[in-house]
Amino acid sequence: EPSAWNIEAGCNFSIGGMESTLAIGYQGIAEALGLGLPERRVIAALSIGVYENTTLAFEYAHDTDRQSMRMARELLALTSMQIP
């Protein structure tokens, strides 16, 4: 049965008088290979309130999908064995 989870933490502070937030997160799914989603994701984000009602945000995400990596290694191994 497919399942998903998420955990995030953030802190607010000031950069040059502008309200800012730094956040990190860790997400995961299980039993959902057919959905094409990564098995694990690590996220880091920085947002800065540059004007009233306007926020500039930077986000980095790194995905890991062991099932796809395993399938790719198996396919590479099979391909390598078939080449004379």
Side-chain angles (χ1 to χ4, degrees):
E1 180 173 311
S3 63
W5 52 268
N6 177 60
I7 185 166
E8 295 181 38
C11 64
N12 295 325
F13 56 96
S14 181
I15 295 179
M18 297 179 284
E19 185 178 328
S20 305
T21 302
L22 179 63
I24 58 170
Y26 188 58
Q27 304 171 341
I29 62 169
E31 305 297 327
L33 182 62
L35 297 177
L37 299 171
E39 191 173 2
R40 299 283 184 261
R41 174 176 282 171
V42 176
I43 300 171
L46 172 65
S47 61
I48 304 168
V50 291
Y51 298 109
E52 186 176 342
N53 300 320
T54 305
T55 301
L56 176 63
F58 302 93
E59 185 173 302
Y60 171 80
H62 177 73
D63 296 340
T64 304
D65 189 354
R66 285 176 275 183
Q67 180 65 28
S68 293
M69 290 169 35
R70 187 178 319 120
M71 290 170 58
R73 281 193 303 267
E74 290 171 1
L75 180 61
L76 182 60
L78 288 173
T79 304
S80 298
M81 289 189 305
Q82 294 174 0
I83 297 174

